Amino acid sequence: MSETDKKLSIEESLEQIDEILNRMEAKETGLEESFRLYERGLKLIKDAEAGIDKIEKEIRILNEEE
């Protein structure tokens, strides 16, 4: 299983997003690599948002049970 295929925690996704931003800001990063990094970043953001939404739903359920 490759790094892009495994399920990352929210924290891991945010760390990778930060790394992507740093790489995209580097002067030596070419246009094609920037596009590839951008696409990867969007996927990480989507995955992190889904994880946060899941946690929020679980918290709402727990609060309703109290």
Side-chain angles (χ1 to χ4, degrees), residues 7 19 40 48 52 58 65-66:
K7 185 71 172 165
E19 290 174 19
R40 175 72 180 135
I52 292 168
E58 290 172 1
E65 291 177 357
E66 291 179 2

Side-chain angles (χ1 to χ4, degrees), residues 14-40:
L14 294 176
E15 287 174 12
Q16 285 195 15
I17 291 166
D18 190 48
E19 290 174 19
I20 287 171
L21 289 172
N22 289 332
R23 287 176 59 190
M24 289 180 73
E25 290 173 348
K27 291 181 182 180
E28 62 271 1
T29 303
L31 185 58
E32 287 182 26
E33 183 180 0
S34 291
F35 281 128
R36 185 183 58 76
L37 290 168
Y38 178 78
E39 288 176 336
R40 175 72 180 135

